Amino acid sequence: MARFNTASMSFDMPRSLTRDERIARIDALATLLDTAFLVPGTNIRFGLDAIIGLVPGIGDAITTLISLYIVREARVLGAPLHLVARMLANVAIDGVFGAVPLVGDAFDVLWRANRRNVRLLREWLDQRRR
């Protein structure tokens, strides 16, 4: 969103994010959604996806929409359609199985669709650099 700067009497347009900034942003989001927290005394990691998913119906819809943002960013970064389709499949699997009460939340902890999708994107970007 543009901001009006009264000092210079002009509009300040936000700059576009660089490729590295976009990757860092979606990586941080994937971590927050999938692996940000640790169950004390174990190696089990979980994120907001599992917590928000506890809210029946709307919780899984919200996290699915956030997961789609990661896919959108991959597309903006130039990911090919076959990779985007694979990422969408990961989100769909997470959304469908995650919607099952309680069992779905355990599935969210194990499946980690967002971490998978960021890994797929990073692998594709690494191959493209070579």
Side-chain angles (χ1 to χ4, degrees):
M1 180 189 313
R3 290 176 298 209
F4 188 71
N5 183 342
T6 55
S8 66
M9 301 300 282
S10 66
F11 282 96
D12 293 331
M13 297 302 289
R15 66 175 180 79
S16 296
L17 296 175
T18 67
R19 183 177 65 99
D20 290 338
E21 289 171 332
R22 285 183 188 276
I23 294 167
R25 178 181 281 185
I26 61 174
D27 188 51
L29 180 58
T31 297
L32 182 63
L33 287 170
D34 290 344
T35 58
F37 310 107
L38 180 67
V39 175
T42 71
N43 287 329
I44 300 171
R45 299 196 75 79
F46 65 98
L48 289 180
D49 191 359
I51 296 169
I52 296 171
L54 290 171
V55 178
I58 192 76
D60 292 303
I62 290 169
T63 56
T64 297
L65 288 173
I66 296 170
S67 295
L68 290 173
Y69 170 77
I70 293 173
V71 177
R72 179 197 167 278
E73 284 295 294
R75 190 67 187 128
V76 169
L77 288 166
L81 290 178
H82 70 86
L83 179 62
V84 171
R86 192 166 167 196
M87 293 172 78
L88 286 171
N90 286 336
V91 172
I93 290 167
D94 186 48
V96 169
F97 288 104
V100 177
L102 296 179
V103 173
D105 298 307
F107 180 81
D108 282 337
V109 171
L110 299 173
W111 182 247
R112 300 177 181 170
N114 302 296
R115 294 282 0 130
R116 287 173 187 265
N117 285 344
V118 170
R119 187 186 76 242
L120 287 171
L121 178 62
R122 284 183 179 275
E123 288 172 357
W124 175 77
L125 288 168
D126 287 346
Q127 286 177 354
R128 206 172 113 199
R129 266 185 245 170
R130 285 186 226 140

